[in-house]
Amino acid sequence: MAEVLDATPLVGLDWLALDTETTGLDPKTARVLEIGVLPGRGAAPDAAGGLSVRTDPGVPVPAAATRIHGIDAAALAGVGDFSAAWAAVAPLLDGRVLIGHTLGYDLAILTRECAAAGIAFKPPRRLDVRLLAQLVRPDLAAFSLDALAAFLEVEAGPRHTALGDAETAGRVFGALVPRLREGGIRTLAEAEAACRQLTEVLDAHFRAGYADPTVPLAEARADRALARIDTSLYRHRVGDLMSPPLVVPAALPLGAAMGEMVRRQVGSLFVRLKGGEGPLRLEDAGIFTERDALRAVAGQGTGQGTAPGADCLARPVGDFASYPLLAVPDDAFLYRAAGRMQRLKSRHLAVTDRNGVVCGALSVRDLLRSRAADTFALDDALVGGADAGELARAWARLPAVARALTADGVSARDVAAVISSELAALTARAAALAEAAEGPPPAPYAVLVLGSAGRGESLLAMDQDNAVVWAEPAAGADAWFARFGARLADLLHEVGVPYCPGNVMARSPQWRGDAATWQARVAAWISRSRPDDLLSVDIFFDLAPACGVGAIADRLAADAYGAAAGQYAFLKQLADAGGPVRSALTLMGGLRTENGRVDAKAHGLFPIVCTARVLAIAHGIEARSTRARLDGLRAKGIGASADLEAMAQAHGVLLSAVLDQQLEDLAVGLPASNKVDPRRLDAHRRADLKEAFKVAAGAPEVLHTLLMA
């Protein structure tokens, strides 16, 4: 069966609602008469995909049962047995989560019928809307299917027909999805874990002879196989592997272009279709490949009146070039390029810098040299997702990839860079969908990711930190970008990246503006007299462009860093804005825990990240990641090298501890957080964690000492 992922947000879940009509109510003796199923995705049932099949139970249908559902011997004349009915239904379960109301009853009967027919049946991942509704509103007077449909104001299907009840259950599930999300239940695994906590209801089901409508934790863990992926694609970036771009003019004869390819031993050339000399912009370029050469010689080129054989060799190569050019950024990881080639069925990609200039070429051969696998755990689906559901399903692959990379020995710092890359890609796609909904923007713009995403240090417990800057004032710009920012935030929230609790999002007036507005905003920050006025400002200095015009983001960053450099009063306030750092260590050297866990972000990551950030601004170090900032300080001879290296090592230890805990929590349906349970660590790792917290506790002193260095 196709894989169903723990981390799939409910909004992106592929599901199959199911109901049965039977000869009675006792699951130990009742026989199936009718099975109704309705597929759906997220909150949307597929009304056209419903299926109802009847089955001859081989026993008389009691009159009492017929009075309920209307199925009698005459209605079953000529229908097949259970095996035939199940053969029609079972394939629809592949890759889907089973949905139903009081689902344990249906599962008990289906399991018994399959066993009697000699059919192997293992209940799939499943969610019972009766249990989900109790999570949303435990105080409801009744949880019958009719009561839930009325409470949620959804249209009920024909009652006491298998398909009608399946339709109602599917619509109830769709209506519960946003309510569950707002209650903190966002993913399949979280919904399963929450349902397992309803022990009184589950005990009642058990006493009635029903099957377990939840997925027991032991069963869930046994089903989660570790994905094997080629980690080299997640360790290296496109710029590490690309070849220099070979550019020829469109007027160059085809024969000469082919000769150039032979001489250079390359499989493609970029063709300048527009523009003059100088850097080749993506929109001005086409590509001519080996396959284009073969088609041209065979008389199948793109040029008008193409003649086969040697007669075409005098034609301009521009007549045969493919356009528009498919591209990938130079700072993308190789898995992004591999997925894009796979999705677009292309063997060649242009490589662009953040200004849209072609700076290299990448081919399938290049990827093969990096040991690329035939399939990729993270493909290019985020770039092509058409709605929240498609994006959610792509986003759900992230924890599985993080788990596989960690198991293969990839450092937490590198895994965080992959996660950050995916978050930027998701933000970019959400921005594209928001722009498509709003229409053409009033000015060129860039969407920025801030904080850990900008530093390349995001882990799996993330929320939104983003902003937008546009080039110059334009009529109606703020209103357009306000609507754009709201759509962006809503879409990310629906997919699985929650709203920022501090409202650091492009939908907020203080986190959007044109370039001049941002310059004035930064100047106002620098002139503030109280640290409390600078809350959330620190993460702005981690900014990185997610999409749009990269040069606009670069100018904003350069202006902000330039304005803040040397402003020591401001930098000291920035350092103090988060408040004092409380040590995670007790006086006796133990770990200070709350509910068995220690907050590795508040007591460890935050002071180290803050120290590196503020010192980087003060001393003109343009790097964004914490490690690169600390290395930059060492290279400039600022501070004791041993202290800075200790902070870098501690940062890595803390990232690793948090990531491992997040992966373990997600596997059992707990939301990812930044709090670590030290009891699950062996003595060596616990000692490393204590040392990392010790280093973090000393980071503020290092910061204040070096700020004036």
Side-chain angles (χ1 to χ4, degrees), residues 558-639:
D559 291 346
Y561 269 69
Q567 300 292 331
Y568 295 109
F570 163 70
L571 293 172
K572 186 178 184 303
Q573 291 170 1
L574 198 64
D576 295 340
V581 177
R582 182 174 178 233
S583 174
L585 301 177
T586 66
L587 291 176
M588 301 300 293
L591 287 168
R592 195 188 309 275
T593 61
E594 183 176 349
N595 296 321
R597 296 201 176 196
V598 58
D599 192 330
K601 180 178 180 179
H603 303 309
L605 290 170
F606 175 77
I608 294 174
V609 167
C610 177
T611 296
R613 177 196 295 121
V614 173
L615 291 178
I617 299 171
H619 298 292
I621 296 168
E622 297 181 358
R624 292 294 185 272
S625 77
T626 300
R627 174 86 218 202
R629 284 168 168 169
L630 293 171
D631 288 346
L633 292 168
R634 293 174 63 196
K636 285 193 170 188
I638 298 169

XYZ file of all heavy atoms in Angstrom, residues 558-639:
590
model
N 21.727 45.178 3.505
C 22.949 45.996 3.536
C 22.697 47.316 4.245
O 23.517 47.776 5.058
C 23.446 46.227 2.109
N 21.549 47.945 3.946
C 21.229 49.220 4.597
C 21.047 49.036 6.102
O 21.516 49.860 6.907
C 19.950 49.811 3.994
C 20.137 50.291 2.559
O 21.308 50.418 2.131
O 19.124 50.507 1.866
N 20.355 47.948 6.506
C 20.093 47.729 7.925
C 21.384 47.446 8.679
O 21.617 48.004 9.762
C 19.111 46.571 8.100
N 22.214 46.575 8.109
C 23.490 46.271 8.769
C 24.369 47.507 8.839
O 25.054 47.754 9.842
C 24.198 45.128 8.039
C 23.861 43.760 8.566
C 22.596 43.224 8.394
C 24.801 43.008 9.263
C 22.275 41.970 8.880
C 24.491 41.751 9.757
C 23.217 41.237 9.562
O 22.904 40.004 10.056
N 24.380 48.280 7.754
C 25.190 49.492 7.748
C 24.722 50.499 8.772
O 25.536 51.156 9.442
N 23.400 50.639 8.919
C 22.868 51.594 9.887
C 23.127 51.154 11.321
O 23.333 51.989 12.210
C 21.365 51.772 9.655
N 23.113 49.843 11.563
C 23.266 49.345 12.935
C 24.719 49.216 13.365
O 25.021 49.248 14.572
C 22.573 47.989 13.074
N 25.628 49.037 12.397
C 27.049 48.855 12.741
C 27.558 50.059 13.523
O 27.352 51.214 13.135
C 27.861 48.650 11.469
N 28.211 49.800 14.625
C 28.779 50.872 15.435
C 27.792 51.531 16.380
O 28.199 52.371 17.192
N 26.516 51.189 16.294
C 25.511 51.772 17.186
C 25.439 50.919 18.455
O 24.527 50.120 18.650
C 24.155 51.836 16.477
C 24.145 52.655 15.218
C 24.336 54.138 15.516
O 23.951 54.631 16.591
N 24.929 54.860 14.581
N 26.411 51.121 19.337
C 26.578 50.201 20.452
C 25.457 50.291 21.482
O 25.122 49.297 22.126
C 27.945 50.429 21.094
C 29.062 50.071 20.157
C 29.855 51.057 19.588
C 29.288 48.743 19.794
C 30.861 50.736 18.690
C 30.289 48.414 18.904
C 31.076 49.419 18.351
O 32.060 49.089 17.456
N 24.863 51.458 21.636
C 23.731 51.560 22.559
C 22.574 50.704 22.046
O 21.928 49.963 22.812
C 23.299 53.016 22.694
N 22.320 50.794 20.754
C 21.264 49.977 20.155
C 21.597 48.494 20.263
O 20.741 47.674 20.629
C 21.074 50.375 18.691
C 20.318 49.360 17.877
C 18.960 49.149 18.077
C 20.973 48.599 16.910
C 18.269 48.212 17.327
C 20.289 47.670 16.158
C 18.927 47.464 16.368
N 22.827 48.136 19.957
C 23.213 46.727 19.977
C 23.133 46.152 21.387
O 22.744 44.997 21.577
C 24.616 46.567 19.400
C 24.732 46.874 17.903
C 26.197 46.888 17.468
C 23.948 45.858 17.083
N 23.495 46.966 22.381
C 23.376 46.494 23.764
C 21.909 46.267 24.122
O 21.561 45.269 24.772
C 23.997 47.495 24.729
C 24.021 46.986 26.185
C 24.691 47.980 27.098
C 24.794 47.413 28.518
N 23.484 47.028 29.067
N 21.035 47.184 23.686
C 19.609 46.987 23.939
C 19.083 45.765 23.193
O 18.237 45.022 23.711
C 18.844 48.236 23.511
C 19.116 49.441 24.410
C 18.550 50.722 23.845
O 17.934 50.713 22.785
N 18.781 51.825 24.540
N 19.599 45.554 21.984
C 19.192 44.380 21.219
C 19.603 43.109 21.961
O 18.861 42.127 22.001
C 19.834 44.422 19.830
C 19.212 43.538 18.744
C 17.793 43.981 18.441
C 20.053 43.587 17.480
N 20.778 43.137 22.541
C 21.257 41.987 23.300
C 20.417 41.743 24.548
O 20.223 40.593 24.975
C 22.716 42.196 23.693
N 19.890 42.812 25.132
C 19.134 42.689 26.380
C 17.632 42.523 26.159
O 16.886 42.303 27.123
C 19.360 43.934 27.249
C 20.810 44.052 27.716
O 21.515 43.016 27.702
O 21.228 45.175 28.049
N 17.183 42.642 24.890
C 15.738 42.679 24.624
C 15.045 41.396 25.052
O 13.864 41.414 25.432
C 15.488 42.952 23.142
N 15.717 40.277 24.961
C 15.086 39.010 25.330
C 15.039 38.757 26.814
O 14.487 37.726 27.246
N 15.591 39.656 27.611
C 15.600 39.472 29.050
C 16.782 38.624 29.507
O 17.532 38.072 28.695
N 16.972 38.503 30.805
C 18.092 37.718 31.328
C 17.934 36.237 31.012
O 16.827 35.716 30.926
C 18.033 37.974 32.837
C 16.606 38.351 33.106
C 16.138 39.086 31.888
N 19.069 35.578 30.811
C 19.075 34.149 30.520
C 19.208 33.387 31.826
O 20.167 33.566 32.581
C 20.230 33.788 29.573
C 20.269 32.277 29.349
C 20.066 34.519 28.252
N 18.230 32.550 32.102
C 18.262 31.719 33.308
C 18.976 30.421 32.985
O 18.659 29.748 32.009
C 16.837 31.438 33.774
C 16.744 30.624 35.058
C 15.299 30.534 35.500
N 15.174 29.712 36.708
C 14.349 28.685 36.814
N 13.591 28.337 35.789
N 14.268 27.999 37.941
N 19.950 30.073 33.771
C 20.725 28.865 33.519
C 19.855 27.623 33.639
O 18.958 27.545 34.480
C 21.889 28.760 34.507
O 22.556 27.519 34.343
N 20.124 26.658 32.775
C 19.406 25.379 32.838
C 19.995 24.456 33.890
O 19.456 23.366 34.118
C 19.459 24.699 31.472
N 21.081 24.870 34.529
C 21.754 24.020 35.508
C 21.423 24.459 36.925
O 21.349 25.654 37.229
C 23.266 24.072 35.289
C 23.762 23.628 33.914
C 25.264 23.798 33.816
C 23.366 22.181 33.645
N 21.226 23.499 37.802
C 21.001 23.799 39.210
C 22.343 24.071 39.892
O 23.419 23.886 39.308
C 20.313 22.615 39.898
O 21.216 21.495 39.909
C 19.037 22.225 39.166
N 22.272 24.497 41.154
C 23.503 24.769 41.903
C 24.360 23.517 42.049
O 25.588 23.590 42.148
C 23.152 25.323 43.283
C 22.552 26.735 43.304
C 22.164 27.121 44.732
C 23.558 27.742 42.730
N 23.719 22.352 42.031
C 24.449 21.103 42.175
C 24.887 20.521 40.834
O 25.413 19.414 40.765
C 23.581 20.081 42.921
C 23.150 20.531 44.311
S 24.567 20.855 45.393
C 25.226 19.198 45.558
N 24.645 21.272 39.757
C 25.095 20.812 38.449
C 24.106 19.928 37.723
O 24.420 19.396 36.650
N 22.902 19.771 38.270
C 21.885 18.996 37.570
C 21.124 19.866 36.584
O 21.341 21.082 36.488
N 20.223 19.255 35.836
C 19.431 19.989 34.859
C 18.124 20.456 35.495
O 17.426 19.689 36.153
C 19.132 19.112 33.643
C 20.328 18.869 32.709
C 20.020 17.776 31.700
C 20.702 20.164 31.987
N 17.828 21.717 35.303
C 16.617 22.312 35.856
C 15.454 22.009 34.896
O 15.376 22.561 33.801
C 16.805 23.820 36.004
C 15.768 24.502 36.888
C 15.922 26.013 36.816
N 17.275 26.438 37.051
C 17.805 26.648 38.252
N 17.060 26.436 39.328
N 19.058 27.060 38.385
N 14.573 21.106 35.278
C 13.496 20.678 34.383
C 12.142 21.143 34.893
O 11.967 21.437 36.074
C 13.467 19.149 34.235
O 13.229 18.558 35.512
C 14.771 18.631 33.652
N 11.202 21.186 33.979
C 9.807 21.468 34.301
C 8.965 20.417 33.601
O 9.054 20.259 32.382
C 9.419 22.869 33.825
C 8.002 23.264 34.199
C 7.675 24.696 33.795
O 8.596 25.441 33.417
O 6.480 25.053 33.860
N 8.181 19.680 34.373
C 7.422 18.546 33.834
C 8.339 17.552 33.122
O 7.982 16.962 32.101
C 6.333 19.035 32.878
C 5.293 19.890 33.571
O 4.909 19.611 34.709
N 4.842 20.944 32.894
N 9.528 17.409 33.674
C 10.460 16.416 33.152
C 11.266 16.859 31.953
O 12.054 16.066 31.407
N 11.131 18.119 31.536
C 11.843 18.573 30.343
C 12.544 19.903 30.607
O 12.146 20.666 31.484
C 10.886 18.718 29.156
C 10.267 17.381 28.727
C 9.769 17.442 27.316
N 9.269 16.151 26.864
C 9.048 15.834 25.598
N 9.287 16.740 24.645
N 8.603 14.650 25.252
N 13.570 20.147 29.788
C 14.310 21.398 29.874
C 14.179 22.111 28.534
O 14.267 21.490 27.472
C 15.797 21.142 30.232
C 16.466 20.231 29.225
C 16.556 22.453 30.363
N 13.945 23.420 28.578
C 13.751 24.214 27.366
C 15.109 24.537 26.754
O 15.813 25.440 27.204
C 12.990 25.495 27.694
C 12.499 26.220 26.450
O 13.168 26.104 25.411
O 11.459 26.890 26.519
N 15.470 23.795 25.716
C 16.795 23.953 25.110
C 16.901 25.232 24.301
O 18.010 25.723 24.067
C 17.107 22.747 24.222
N 15.779 25.770 23.863
C 15.840 27.029 23.117
C 16.049 28.201 24.057
O 16.968 29.006 23.868
C 14.552 27.227 22.312
C 14.542 28.527 21.506
C 13.275 28.665 20.677
C 13.284 29.968 19.879
N 12.049 30.110 19.048
N 15.206 28.313 25.064
C 15.281 29.460 25.963
C 16.586 29.500 26.736
O 17.196 30.572 26.904
C 14.099 29.438 26.930
N 17.049 28.345 27.224
C 18.226 28.309 28.093
C 19.525 28.016 27.345
O 20.599 28.133 27.946
C 18.039 27.248 29.183
C 16.810 27.454 30.016
N 16.503 28.650 30.605
C 15.807 26.596 30.348
C 15.370 28.528 31.274
N 14.918 27.298 31.128
N 19.441 27.638 26.077
C 20.652 27.250 25.364
C 20.827 27.904 24.015
O 21.768 28.675 23.798
N 19.928 27.619 23.094
C 20.083 28.142 21.739
C 19.967 29.661 21.702
O 20.748 30.333 21.014
C 19.035 27.516 20.820
C 19.234 26.033 20.501
C 18.018 25.469 19.784
C 20.489 25.826 19.662
N 18.998 30.209 22.424
C 18.766 31.648 22.349
C 19.998 32.479 22.722
O 20.389 33.373 21.968
C 17.573 32.042 23.220
C 17.351 33.526 23.296
C 16.757 34.203 22.245
C 17.763 34.247 24.409
C 16.576 35.576 22.308
C 17.589 35.616 24.476
C 16.982 36.292 23.423
N 20.643 32.247 23.871
C 21.797 33.099 24.201
C 22.952 32.953 23.220
O 23.655 33.942 22.935
C 22.192 32.642 25.612
C 21.549 31.317 25.809
C 20.311 31.326 24.982
N 23.164 31.768 22.670
C 24.258 31.588 21.714
C 23.938 32.281 20.399
O 24.776 32.988 19.819
C 24.531 30.089 21.499
C 25.062 29.463 22.793
C 25.525 29.877 20.360
C 25.224 27.962 22.725
N 22.710 32.097 19.920
C 22.296 32.745 18.668
C 22.348 34.260 18.815
O 22.819 34.968 17.920
C 20.880 32.274 18.282
C 20.291 33.153 17.182
C 20.915 30.823 17.827
N 21.865 34.764 19.933
C 21.857 36.211 20.174
C 23.275 36.768 20.200
O 23.562 37.811 19.602
C 21.142 36.504 21.490
S 21.136 38.243 21.954
N 24.170 36.069 20.876
C 25.564 36.521 20.942
C 26.176 36.602 19.557
O 26.802 37.617 19.185
C 26.377 35.563 21.825
O 25.885 35.625 23.165
C 27.861 35.915 21.812
N 26.009 35.555 18.776
C 26.585 35.539 17.432
C 25.974 36.624 16.559
O 26.679 37.294 15.786
C 26.379 34.165 16.801
N 24.673 36.829 16.672
C 23.989 37.818 15.828
C 24.455 39.238 16.141
O 24.836 40.004 15.240
C 22.483 37.716 16.024
C 21.697 38.749 15.232
C 20.270 38.867 15.731
N 19.501 37.671 15.531
C 18.913 36.978 16.500
N 19.064 37.356 17.771
N 18.208 35.902 16.238
N 24.409 39.609 17.413
C 24.741 40.983 17.787
C 26.204 41.293 17.471
O 26.529 42.371 16.950
C 24.421 41.222 19.271
C 24.921 42.591 19.716
C 22.919 41.097 19.516
N 27.092 40.355 17.749
C 28.506 40.593 17.458
C 28.757 40.653 15.950
O 29.615 41.421 15.489
C 29.361 39.501 18.097
C 29.416 39.524 19.634
C 30.251 38.358 20.157
C 29.979 40.853 20.142
N 28.021 39.882 15.181
C 28.169 39.944 13.726
C 27.749 41.311 13.204
O 28.410 41.892 12.331
C 27.348 38.838 13.066
N 26.641 41.859 13.713
C 26.206 43.194 13.294
C 27.246 44.233 13.706
O 27.615 45.124 12.926
C 24.837 43.532 13.916
C 23.777 42.530 13.468
C 24.413 44.946 13.549
C 22.453 42.656 14.210
N 27.727 44.114 14.937
C 28.669 45.104 15.457
C 29.962 45.139 14.663
O 30.557 46.205 14.470
C 28.966 44.811 16.928
N 30.405 43.998 14.191
C 31.729 43.921 13.567
C 31.671 43.676 12.061
O 32.655 43.266 11.452
C 32.551 42.838 14.257
C 32.795 43.127 15.716
N 33.597 44.160 16.150
C 32.306 42.538 16.841
C 33.612 44.187 17.476
N 32.830 43.212 17.920
N 30.502 43.935 11.456
C 30.408 43.912 10.006
C 30.565 42.544 9.371
O 31.117 42.428 8.273
N 30.085 41.521 10.033
C 30.152 40.159 9.486
C 28.807 39.852 8.835
O 27.776 39.837 9.504
C 30.475 39.142 10.596
C 31.874 39.434 11.150
C 30.390 37.710 10.076
C 32.198 38.692 12.422
N 28.789 39.620 7.537
C 27.546 39.509 6.777
C 26.902 38.128 6.859
O 25.802 37.938 6.343
C 27.805 39.869 5.315
C 28.261 41.312 5.117
C 28.479 41.642 3.660
O 28.312 40.731 2.813
O 28.812 42.800 3.362
N 27.562 37.161 7.448
C 27.016 35.804 7.503
C 25.702 35.789 8.279
O 25.441 36.653 9.118
C 28.019 34.868 8.156
N 24.877 34.769 7.989
C 23.598 34.642 8.673
C 23.579 33.494 9.674
O 22.993 33.619 10.744
C 22.475 34.426 7.649
C 22.210 35.635 6.763
C 21.655 36.815 7.540
N 21.301 37.910 6.648
C 22.152 38.851 6.264
N 23.396 38.842 6.711
N 21.756 39.816 5.455
N 24.159 32.355 9.345
C 24.083 31.221 10.265
C 24.937 31.486 11.496
O 25.931 32.222 11.447
C 24.537 29.936 9.578
O 25.939 29.876 9.479
N 24.538 30.875 12.604
C 25.262 31.081 13.858
C 26.696 30.590 13.741
O 27.640 31.272 14.178
C 24.530 30.351 14.996
O 23.206 30.886 15.109
C 25.263 30.510 16.314
N 26.891 29.411 13.154
C 28.242 28.874 13.005
C 29.106 29.807 12.157
O 30.254 30.108 12.511
C 28.170 27.497 12.351
C 29.542 26.909 12.023
C 30.107 26.182 13.212
N 31.538 26.387 13.335
C 32.354 25.578 13.994
N 31.870 24.510 14.598
N 33.632 25.832 14.111
N 28.561 30.284 11.023
C 29.343 31.155 10.146
C 29.652 32.486 10.823
O 30.734 33.059 10.629
C 28.591 31.381 8.841
N 28.741 32.987 11.632
C 29.002 34.241 12.345
C 30.128 34.061 13.366
O 31.020 34.916 13.480
C 27.721 34.713 13.033
C 26.716 35.334 12.092
C 25.346 35.536 12.722
N 24.493 36.385 11.903
C 23.193 36.570 12.091
N 22.584 35.943 13.105
N 22.493 37.363 11.306
N 30.081 32.952 14.095
C 31.144 32.709 15.075
C 32.484 32.497 14.379
O 33.526 32.980 14.854
C 30.780 31.496 15.936
C 29.560 31.684 16.855
C 29.150 30.361 17.495
C 29.852 32.731 17.937
N 32.473 31.789 13.236
C 33.711 31.610 12.475
C 34.224 32.947 11.963
O 35.448 33.187 11.912
C 33.483 30.654 11.302
C 33.313 29.211 11.752
O 33.629 28.913 12.924
O 32.861 28.393 10.930
N 33.303 33.839 11.572
C 33.712 35.157 11.104
C 34.373 35.976 12.198
O 35.345 36.711 11.944
N 33.867 35.859 13.408
C 34.490 36.563 14.532
C 35.893 36.025 14.795
O 36.838 36.805 15.029
C 33.622 36.410 15.778
C 32.265 37.121 15.756
C 31.399 36.657 16.918
C 32.448 38.637 15.798
N 36.034 34.713 14.733
C 37.359 34.110 14.944
C 38.327 34.572 13.863
O 39.488 34.871 14.148
C 37.246 32.594 14.940
C 36.474 32.033 16.122
C 36.256 30.539 15.986
N 37.510 29.800 15.978
C 37.647 28.547 15.573
N 36.590 27.906 15.098
N 38.811 27.945 15.636
N 37.841 34.627 12.624
C 38.719 35.031 11.526
C 39.198 36.468 11.692
O 40.310 36.815 11.249
C 37.986 34.872 10.193
N 38.395 37.314 12.325
C 38.780 38.705 12.551
C 39.569 38.885 13.845
O 39.949 40.008 14.187
C 37.536 39.591 12.589
C 36.917 39.841 11.212
C 35.907 40.970 11.279
C 35.476 41.397 9.878
N 34.653 42.611 9.904
N 39.775 37.784 14.561
C 40.534 37.872 15.796
C 39.779 38.540 16.919
O 40.391 39.103 17.836
N 38.470 38.487 16.877
C 37.641 39.113 17.909
C 37.275 38.055 18.940
O 36.577 37.090 18.634
C 36.377 39.727 17.295
C 36.765 40.822 16.298
C 35.451 40.284 18.371
C 35.624 41.300 15.442
N 37.769 38.230 20.157
C 37.467 37.290 21.216
C 38.395 36.095 21.218
O 39.185 35.880 20.289
